[in-house]
Amino acid sequence: MINLRSTPIPFFLLLFLCFRQIAFAQEPTSNAKLIAQYDSARTVAPREKIYVHLDKAIFAPQDTLWFKAYLVDATTNVFSKISGLIYFDMFDANGTLIETICVPTAMGVAWGGIALKPDAYKAGSYTFRAYTNWMQNFGDAYIFKKEIKILDFIKDENVYQLDKKPLPTPRKISARTIEKSKDIDIQFLPEGGNWKADRMQKMAFKAVNYAGKGIEVTGEIFDSKQNKILDFKSNNKGMGYFMMVPILNEAYTATINSTEITKTQNLPKLASSGAFLQVNNSYGSDGLAINVDSDLPEQEITMIGQSKGVACFTAKFISGKKYKTVYVPKSLFPRGICQILLMDGKNHVLNERNFFINRSQDLIIQPSTSTSVYGLRDSICVNIQASDFEKKPISGTFSVAVTDDNQIQKDSLNDNNILSHLLLASDLKGEIESPGYYFNHFDEQKHNDLEALVLTQGWIKYNWELDKRPLFKAEKEFTISGRVTNITNKPAINGQILLLGMKKPISIMETRTDSNGVFIFRDFPVLDSAAFVVQAKNAKGKVGTLGIELNEFQSAPFLMTAKNNLTNYEEPLDSISKQFIAAKNEEYEASFKSGIILREVKITGKKTIKGSKNLNGDGNADITLTEKDLDKVAKKTLGDVLKENIKGLHESVKPKTGFQLYKVNGSIFKMIIDGVEVDYFFTNFDPTSKTEYLQFIKSYFDYYNAEDIKGIEIMTSGKNVNNYIKQYEDPFTVETYVFVEVTTRTGSGPFLRKSSNMFKYNPPAYGDNKEFYSPKYTDQNKGNKKPDYRSTIYWNPHILTNEKGIANFSFFSADKKGFYTVWIEGSDMNGNFGMKALKLEVK
């Protein structure tokens, strides 16, 4: 258990409460109602944020991805008390879910590892995700995502070697596509959303290239008579803003210049009337000057200052009066993304303006070592001193990754970290390039760059419709639950429910249904790739005719992003990645030469299906789908599974007769279930019907799900087919056939009767018992021949500082000379967090 201080009321909330009292005194009814709406939304639908520290983002085959998650309340940044379970997904580049695990939290933190097994994880790009079930109520915005890569190793003469062959020849790219790739997209975004004529106003802009990355541009603004009004220039991320007084009935254009292209674009149209909003968020100033210009027909306008679902202040005034300025102290707002809203009398948003409040409130992490230079296989001890921004020692939880700079590139100045994610990236839509940049030695330039960022990048909404019910529940722990009903669909009360674990060692749990037929199993141990059978019996212990509805976890939908078609093969490996591959190859070759490992020999075994009635013998088929294969698509119908695995399976018409049936290319499709041909049960009730047989086969396709089946064996050629023709058809037939042998779990044959009181369930792997292996070298083993070319030198997800803010850890260096990056980040889980990187040299 982590020993942390009790959670204080954040200072900004105290200020917020004081300001609210002032607001109530001015407008007691309307302000109180507005504040109550904000409070209700945060009560009904509180938000969570999650940040995950990974040991690295580039991996070799058979590596393990190590992670630590920090789950916090989105408003206060203290550890979340909403959820006690975090899900971690891995998706490939095609958006296919490869693996899901769930890990329990302790005071908001959780850690573990995902083994990148070669049979599941091929070389390529993957997306790592982390979220709670509760987060799914708010869409994709709050899900943590990180792209990782598994580098390719080409095996040549049974030795892993750096691929010396050229990359695959890129597909031919048209001149039009190449020209399009040089294009830039630029958006001009007036402050507050409307561009007001005859008023000095800020115009923000953002330029991105064909791949969606920010690109540095310069430009000029011209009026309709081609008079140059001003010059503008972006920062190196393609963002910036300029001040301008546009004239009514004038049209403006911008000429934009990049290194490869010049283009012209119209600026937004001017508005002569409406509500307009300006926020002066000057660097070094203690307050905001908020200017409102409204000539709407006389009505009440509400101004709200908010952040992360908290209304920090409210003000009301009557429109129709030109130019009003409101001065607000920045101390009313918490650190991070904030927003000013203008709303009309019907609470319709007229304008909104994002801004960032920054204060030096980071945890101070001071790592130290006895020396900055170490030898190979040397012992390295790192001491940590942690304090808050007032330099008071803090007790906190930290994660540490030590990586070899020869193989893993880490940029402590620009890469995403716990600060940049929880304070910035988690509250803005879209990708933020180099998010760590904005928090490294904050100064006026970074303040201005942050202004450009928040003016051009959308803010994640925290509002919630109070009459809307959350669809996804907050999970405090891992459970298996469901509902049992009888044949009349009424609850099976006091039913006996058995949960049988199918993995060794076999485990059995038992519970009873309540008055609503609901059951739940709790208190699970760590489960690695678990599979269960849930069996329901009535109150008398009889099977009866019961149905089970299980509450199965559904992974959050995966939203594919547009890929740059030009970079499928053209993007070369960077030098660090090449060194990473070379180091792994060198380690493998050295281990082989020393006799520590042998050349890999692959033995391909025959797939078999227990209980199969295959006439050719178990597993003797052209295509075999085992229980393991079918578990991956458990909810798909038999028909869908067959169509996905038998190329050419389609509906067809028999010549001359016109009767419809299934064929595989030109061969007639026949199905056997548990050794019984389904055709045996076909009765042609209507001789004139051409579709009756096809519908008969479809009934089997639709009735069975993959979870009902142990295995499928598909015979398409040779002896495999001949044995079935001899058994079920005229041996002298001129027709060709494809036979499918289906082995069901019940083994009861094609009688369209499931074992309704049993349900097979494959939940996500729960918990994690993986531990990072860090070798220890002594005088006795320091000289052993086994090479040590680790890319992750050390990983520790659970370092706790004591009441004096002190902790330490130690590890041994490997066999590569160069520099190591020691990356430390963490939190006191009371709303404060920090990050620090340290460089060490190994000679």
Side-chain angles (χ1 to χ4, degrees), residues 28 120 122 224 254 294 338 366 403 428 433 471 521 566 595 622 655 700 702 722 745 780 786-787 805:
K122 309 301 181 185
S224 58
S294 172
C338 304
Q366 295 178 307
T403 51
L428 288 180
E433 296 181 55
L471 297 177
F521 291 96
L566 292 178
D622 296 285
Y700 287 94
D702 296 338
N722 292 338
R745 295 189 185 280
Q780 287 72 33
K786 184 177 181 180

PDB file of all heavy atoms in Angstrom, residues 28 120 122 224 254 294 338 366 403 428 433 471 521 566 595 622 655 700 702 722 745 780 786-787 805:
ATOM      1  N   PRO A  28     -28.187  36.136  -7.471  1.00  0.00           N
ATOM      2  CA  PRO A  28     -28.362  34.939  -6.652  1.00  0.00           C
ATOM      3  C   PRO A  28     -29.086  33.806  -7.341  1.00  0.00           C
ATOM      4  O   PRO A  28     -28.737  32.652  -7.180  1.00  0.00           O
ATOM      5  CB  PRO A  28     -29.154  35.462  -5.443  1.00  0.00           C
ATOM      6  CG  PRO A  28     -29.776  36.742  -5.907  1.00  0.00           C
ATOM      7  CD  PRO A  28     -28.836  37.331  -6.898  1.00  0.00           C
ATOM      8  N   ALA A 120       1.761 -13.585 -32.588  1.00  0.00           N
ATOM      9  CA  ALA A 120       0.688 -12.592 -32.568  1.00  0.00           C
ATOM     10  C   ALA A 120       1.152 -11.222 -33.044  1.00  0.00           C
ATOM     11  O   ALA A 120       0.368 -10.453 -33.611  1.00  0.00           O
ATOM     12  CB  ALA A 120       0.116 -12.473 -31.160  1.00  0.00           C
ATOM     13  N   LYS A 122       3.622  -9.390 -35.414  1.00  0.00           N
ATOM     14  CA  LYS A 122       4.581  -9.331 -36.508  1.00  0.00           C
ATOM     15  C   LYS A 122       5.217  -7.940 -36.532  1.00  0.00           C
ATOM     16  O   LYS A 122       4.749  -7.008 -35.885  1.00  0.00           O
ATOM     17  CB  LYS A 122       3.899  -9.616 -37.854  1.00  0.00           C
ATOM     18  CG  LYS A 122       3.056 -10.888 -37.862  1.00  0.00           C
ATOM     19  CD  LYS A 122       3.878 -12.129 -37.525  1.00  0.00           C
ATOM     20  CE  LYS A 122       3.011 -13.388 -37.555  1.00  0.00           C
ATOM     21  NZ  LYS A 122       3.771 -14.588 -37.110  1.00  0.00           N
ATOM     22  N   SER A 224      -8.409  43.573 -51.113  1.00  0.00           N
ATOM     23  CA  SER A 224      -8.945  43.275 -52.439  1.00  0.00           C
ATOM     24  C   SER A 224      -8.238  44.037 -53.543  1.00  0.00           C
ATOM     25  O   SER A 224      -8.331  43.670 -54.718  1.00  0.00           O
ATOM     26  CB  SER A 224     -10.440  43.598 -52.469  1.00  0.00           C
ATOM     27  OG  SER A 224     -10.656  44.965 -52.144  1.00  0.00           O
ATOM     28  N   ALA A 254      -4.546  35.627 -48.204  1.00  0.00           N
ATOM     29  CA  ALA A 254      -3.215  35.365 -47.654  1.00  0.00           C
ATOM     30  C   ALA A 254      -2.393  34.624 -48.690  1.00  0.00           C
ATOM     31  O   ALA A 254      -2.875  33.689 -49.338  1.00  0.00           O
ATOM     32  CB  ALA A 254      -3.320  34.543 -46.376  1.00  0.00           C
ATOM     33  N   SER A 294     -20.553  43.302 -28.151  1.00  0.00           N
ATOM     34  CA  SER A 294     -21.815  42.703 -28.562  1.00  0.00           C
ATOM     35  C   SER A 294     -22.806  43.788 -28.960  1.00  0.00           C
ATOM     36  O   SER A 294     -23.055  44.729 -28.201  1.00  0.00           O
ATOM     37  CB  SER A 294     -22.419  41.879 -27.416  1.00  0.00           C
ATOM     38  OG  SER A 294     -23.717  41.460 -27.739  1.00  0.00           O
ATOM     39  N   CYS A 338      -7.919  26.117 -19.931  1.00  0.00           N
ATOM     40  CA  CYS A 338      -9.108  26.786 -19.410  1.00  0.00           C
ATOM     41  C   CYS A 338      -9.869  27.393 -20.589  1.00  0.00           C
ATOM     42  O   CYS A 338      -9.384  27.398 -21.725  1.00  0.00           O
ATOM     43  CB  CYS A 338      -8.732  27.871 -18.403  1.00  0.00           C
ATOM     44  SG  CYS A 338      -7.718  27.258 -17.024  1.00  0.00           S
ATOM     45  N   GLN A 366      15.000  15.127  -8.033  1.00  0.00           N
ATOM     46  CA  GLN A 366      16.446  15.326  -8.143  1.00  0.00           C
ATOM     47  C   GLN A 366      17.157  13.977  -8.040  1.00  0.00           C
ATOM     48  O   GLN A 366      17.420  13.485  -6.942  1.00  0.00           O
ATOM     49  CB  GLN A 366      16.932  16.276  -7.041  1.00  0.00           C
ATOM     50  CG  GLN A 366      16.372  17.690  -7.187  1.00  0.00           C
ATOM     51  CD  GLN A 366      16.827  18.595  -6.051  1.00  0.00           C
ATOM     52  OE1 GLN A 366      16.671  18.267  -4.871  1.00  0.00           O
ATOM     53  NE2 GLN A 366      17.404  19.736  -6.397  1.00  0.00           N
ATOM     54  N   THR A 403      17.263   3.383 -20.519  1.00  0.00           N
ATOM     55  CA  THR A 403      17.414   2.841 -21.869  1.00  0.00           C
ATOM     56  C   THR A 403      18.762   3.233 -22.460  1.00  0.00           C
ATOM     57  O   THR A 403      19.355   4.253 -22.088  1.00  0.00           O
ATOM     58  CB  THR A 403      16.293   3.340 -22.796  1.00  0.00           C
ATOM     59  OG1 THR A 403      16.201   4.763 -22.719  1.00  0.00           O
ATOM     60  CG2 THR A 403      14.957   2.729 -22.404  1.00  0.00           C
ATOM     61  N   LEU A 428      -6.950  18.555 -25.175  1.00  0.00           N
ATOM     62  CA  LEU A 428      -7.040  19.107 -26.525  1.00  0.00           C
ATOM     63  C   LEU A 428      -7.257  17.986 -27.527  1.00  0.00           C
ATOM     64  O   LEU A 428      -6.709  16.894 -27.381  1.00  0.00           O
ATOM     65  CB  LEU A 428      -5.760  19.868 -26.892  1.00  0.00           C
ATOM     66  CG  LEU A 428      -5.531  21.216 -26.202  1.00  0.00           C
ATOM     67  CD1 LEU A 428      -4.216  21.824 -26.674  1.00  0.00           C
ATOM     68  CD2 LEU A 428      -6.678  22.187 -26.462  1.00  0.00           C
ATOM     69  N   GLU A 433       2.288  17.964 -31.462  1.00  0.00           N
ATOM     70  CA  GLU A 433       3.683  17.656 -31.773  1.00  0.00           C
ATOM     71  C   GLU A 433       4.588  18.178 -30.661  1.00  0.00           C
ATOM     72  O   GLU A 433       4.440  19.304 -30.191  1.00  0.00           O
ATOM     73  CB  GLU A 433       4.077  18.287 -33.109  1.00  0.00           C
ATOM     74  CG  GLU A 433       3.321  17.733 -34.302  1.00  0.00           C
ATOM     75  CD  GLU A 433       3.761  18.384 -35.597  1.00  0.00           C
ATOM     76  OE1 GLU A 433       4.971  18.359 -35.892  1.00  0.00           O
ATOM     77  OE2 GLU A 433       2.899  18.922 -36.308  1.00  0.00           O
ATOM     78  N   LEU A 471     -23.820   4.736 -20.249  1.00  0.00           N
ATOM     79  CA  LEU A 471     -24.022   3.380 -20.759  1.00  0.00           C
ATOM     80  C   LEU A 471     -23.037   2.388 -20.156  1.00  0.00           C
ATOM     81  O   LEU A 471     -23.309   1.190 -20.077  1.00  0.00           O
ATOM     82  CB  LEU A 471     -23.880   3.376 -22.287  1.00  0.00           C
ATOM     83  CG  LEU A 471     -24.910   4.210 -23.061  1.00  0.00           C
ATOM     84  CD1 LEU A 471     -24.594   4.175 -24.551  1.00  0.00           C
ATOM     85  CD2 LEU A 471     -26.312   3.699 -22.801  1.00  0.00           C
ATOM     86  N   PHE A 521     -19.451 -13.167  -9.753  1.00  0.00           N
ATOM     87  CA  PHE A 521     -18.263 -13.785  -9.155  1.00  0.00           C
ATOM     88  C   PHE A 521     -17.224 -12.691  -8.935  1.00  0.00           C
ATOM     89  O   PHE A 521     -16.961 -11.874  -9.829  1.00  0.00           O
ATOM     90  CB  PHE A 521     -17.683 -14.862 -10.073  1.00  0.00           C
ATOM     91  CG  PHE A 521     -18.550 -16.088 -10.195  1.00  0.00           C
ATOM     92  CD1 PHE A 521     -19.430 -16.232 -11.265  1.00  0.00           C
ATOM     93  CD2 PHE A 521     -18.476 -17.103  -9.258  1.00  0.00           C
ATOM     94  CE1 PHE A 521     -20.225 -17.362 -11.395  1.00  0.00           C
ATOM     95  CE2 PHE A 521     -19.274 -18.244  -9.376  1.00  0.00           C
ATOM     96  CZ  PHE A 521     -20.147 -18.370 -10.443  1.00  0.00           C
ATOM     97  N   LEU A 566       2.164   7.939 -48.975  1.00  0.00           N
ATOM     98  CA  LEU A 566       3.509   8.026 -49.539  1.00  0.00           C
ATOM     99  C   LEU A 566       4.560   7.398 -48.656  1.00  0.00           C
ATOM    100  O   LEU A 566       5.689   7.206 -49.077  1.00  0.00           O
ATOM    101  CB  LEU A 566       3.876   9.506 -49.759  1.00  0.00           C
ATOM    102  CG  LEU A 566       3.093  10.233 -50.853  1.00  0.00           C
ATOM    103  CD1 LEU A 566       3.537  11.680 -50.913  1.00  0.00           C
ATOM    104  CD2 LEU A 566       3.305   9.561 -52.202  1.00  0.00           C
ATOM    105  N   GLY A 595      28.097 -20.933 -28.168  1.00  0.00           N
ATOM    106  CA  GLY A 595      27.409 -22.179 -27.846  1.00  0.00           C
ATOM    107  C   GLY A 595      26.328 -22.029 -26.806  1.00  0.00           C
ATOM    108  O   GLY A 595      25.778 -23.013 -26.325  1.00  0.00           O
ATOM    109  N   ASP A 622      -7.448 -30.122 -45.557  1.00  0.00           N
ATOM    110  CA  ASP A 622      -6.725 -29.054 -46.251  1.00  0.00           C
ATOM    111  C   ASP A 622      -6.675 -27.782 -45.422  1.00  0.00           C
ATOM    112  O   ASP A 622      -5.718 -27.025 -45.470  1.00  0.00           O
ATOM    113  CB  ASP A 622      -7.394 -28.783 -47.605  1.00  0.00           C
ATOM    114  CG  ASP A 622      -7.302 -29.978 -48.536  1.00  0.00           C
ATOM    115  OD1 ASP A 622      -6.208 -30.220 -49.074  1.00  0.00           O
ATOM    116  OD2 ASP A 622      -8.316 -30.680 -48.696  1.00  0.00           O
ATOM    117  N   PRO A 655     -27.463 -26.110 -62.614  1.00  0.00           N
ATOM    118  CA  PRO A 655     -27.908 -26.044 -64.013  1.00  0.00           C
ATOM    119  C   PRO A 655     -29.107 -26.947 -64.267  1.00  0.00           C
ATOM    120  O   PRO A 655     -29.280 -27.986 -63.636  1.00  0.00           O
ATOM    121  CB  PRO A 655     -26.678 -26.516 -64.791  1.00  0.00           C
ATOM    122  CG  PRO A 655     -25.526 -26.267 -63.880  1.00  0.00           C
ATOM    123  CD  PRO A 655     -26.055 -26.479 -62.486  1.00  0.00           C
ATOM    124  N   TYR A 700     -28.371 -23.741 -40.521  1.00  0.00           N
ATOM    125  CA  TYR A 700     -27.219 -24.217 -39.748  1.00  0.00           C
ATOM    126  C   TYR A 700     -26.136 -23.137 -39.673  1.00  0.00           C
ATOM    127  O   TYR A 700     -25.500 -22.957 -38.634  1.00  0.00           O
ATOM    128  CB  TYR A 700     -26.659 -25.495 -40.380  1.00  0.00           C
ATOM    129  CG  TYR A 700     -27.526 -26.701 -40.172  1.00  0.00           C
ATOM    130  CD1 TYR A 700     -28.466 -27.077 -41.135  1.00  0.00           C
ATOM    131  CD2 TYR A 700     -27.436 -27.465 -39.016  1.00  0.00           C
ATOM    132  CE1 TYR A 700     -29.285 -28.184 -40.952  1.00  0.00           C
ATOM    133  CE2 TYR A 700     -28.251 -28.573 -38.815  1.00  0.00           C
ATOM    134  CZ  TYR A 700     -29.172 -28.922 -39.790  1.00  0.00           C
ATOM    135  OH  TYR A 700     -29.984 -30.021 -39.584  1.00  0.00           O
ATOM    136  N   ASP A 702     -26.564 -20.009 -39.555  1.00  0.00           N
ATOM    137  CA  ASP A 702     -26.964 -18.947 -38.635  1.00  0.00           C
ATOM    138  C   ASP A 702     -27.150 -19.434 -37.204  1.00  0.00           C
ATOM    139  O   ASP A 702     -27.043 -18.645 -36.260  1.00  0.00           O
ATOM    140  CB  ASP A 702     -28.277 -18.308 -39.121  1.00  0.00           C
ATOM    141  CG  ASP A 702     -28.123 -17.613 -40.465  1.00  0.00           C
ATOM    142  OD1 ASP A 702     -26.983 -17.264 -40.821  1.00  0.00           O
ATOM    143  OD2 ASP A 702     -29.143 -17.445 -41.159  1.00  0.00           O
ATOM    144  N   ASN A 722     -11.998 -37.711 -51.477  1.00  0.00           N
ATOM    145  CA  ASN A 722     -12.428 -39.027 -51.989  1.00  0.00           C
ATOM    146  C   ASN A 722     -13.068 -39.885 -50.915  1.00  0.00           C
ATOM    147  O   ASN A 722     -14.059 -40.588 -51.163  1.00  0.00           O
ATOM    148  CB  ASN A 722     -11.246 -39.758 -52.618  1.00  0.00           C
ATOM    149  CG  ASN A 722     -10.784 -39.080 -53.898  1.00  0.00           C
ATOM    150  OD1 ASN A 722     -11.552 -38.343 -54.530  1.00  0.00           O
ATOM    151  ND2 ASN A 722      -9.539 -39.308 -54.283  1.00  0.00           N
ATOM    152  N   ARG A 745     -19.268 -28.720 -29.602  1.00  0.00           N
ATOM    153  CA  ARG A 745     -18.876 -28.958 -28.204  1.00  0.00           C
ATOM    154  C   ARG A 745     -19.762 -30.026 -27.567  1.00  0.00           C
ATOM    155  O   ARG A 745     -19.307 -30.789 -26.717  1.00  0.00           O
ATOM    156  CB  ARG A 745     -18.957 -27.658 -27.414  1.00  0.00           C
ATOM    157  CG  ARG A 745     -17.958 -26.604 -27.881  1.00  0.00           C
ATOM    158  CD  ARG A 745     -17.928 -25.415 -26.940  1.00  0.00           C
ATOM    159  NE  ARG A 745     -17.052 -24.375 -27.464  1.00  0.00           N
ATOM    160  CZ  ARG A 745     -15.737 -24.380 -27.357  1.00  0.00           C
ATOM    161  NH1 ARG A 745     -15.138 -25.386 -26.736  1.00  0.00           N
ATOM    162  NH2 ARG A 745     -15.014 -23.403 -27.864  1.00  0.00           N
ATOM    163  N   GLN A 780      32.032 -13.494  -9.749  1.00  0.00           N
ATOM    164  CA  GLN A 780      31.973 -14.862 -10.252  1.00  0.00           C
ATOM    165  C   GLN A 780      31.367 -14.933 -11.663  1.00  0.00           C
ATOM    166  O   GLN A 780      31.780 -15.752 -12.479  1.00  0.00           O
ATOM    167  CB  GLN A 780      31.154 -15.752  -9.306  1.00  0.00           C
ATOM    168  CG  GLN A 780      31.860 -16.089  -7.998  1.00  0.00           C
ATOM    169  CD  GLN A 780      31.933 -14.897  -7.056  1.00  0.00           C
ATOM    170  OE1 GLN A 780      31.037 -14.054  -7.031  1.00  0.00           O
ATOM    171  NE2 GLN A 780      33.024 -14.822  -6.276  1.00  0.00           N
ATOM    172  N   LYS A 786      27.988 -14.880 -22.266  1.00  0.00           N
ATOM    173  CA  LYS A 786      26.699 -14.498 -22.816  1.00  0.00           C
ATOM    174  C   LYS A 786      26.622 -12.983 -22.981  1.00  0.00           C
ATOM    175  O   LYS A 786      26.765 -12.228 -22.024  1.00  0.00           O
ATOM    176  CB  LYS A 786      25.565 -14.966 -21.899  1.00  0.00           C
ATOM    177  CG  LYS A 786      24.181 -14.687 -22.476  1.00  0.00           C
ATOM    178  CD  LYS A 786      23.085 -15.232 -21.581  1.00  0.00           C
ATOM    179  CE  LYS A 786      21.708 -14.957 -22.191  1.00  0.00           C
ATOM    180  NZ  LYS A 786      20.617 -15.480 -21.351  1.00  0.00           N
ATOM    181  N   PRO A 787      26.406 -12.505 -24.218  1.00  0.00           N
ATOM    182  CA  PRO A 787      26.384 -11.051 -24.445  1.00  0.00           C
ATOM    183  C   PRO A 787      25.147 -10.413 -23.837  1.00  0.00           C
ATOM    184  O   PRO A 787      24.083 -11.033 -23.740  1.00  0.00           O
ATOM    185  CB  PRO A 787      26.377 -10.938 -25.967  1.00  0.00           C
ATOM    186  CG  PRO A 787      25.763 -12.210 -26.436  1.00  0.00           C
ATOM    187  CD  PRO A 787      26.177 -13.269 -25.456  1.00  0.00           C
ATOM    188  N   GLY A 805      11.026  12.171   1.331  1.00  0.00           N
ATOM    189  CA  GLY A 805      11.128  12.332  -0.112  1.00  0.00           C
ATOM    190  C   GLY A 805      12.281  11.572  -0.729  1.00  0.00           C
ATOM    191  O   GLY A 805      12.694  11.880  -1.849  1.00  0.00           O
TER     192      GLY A 805
END
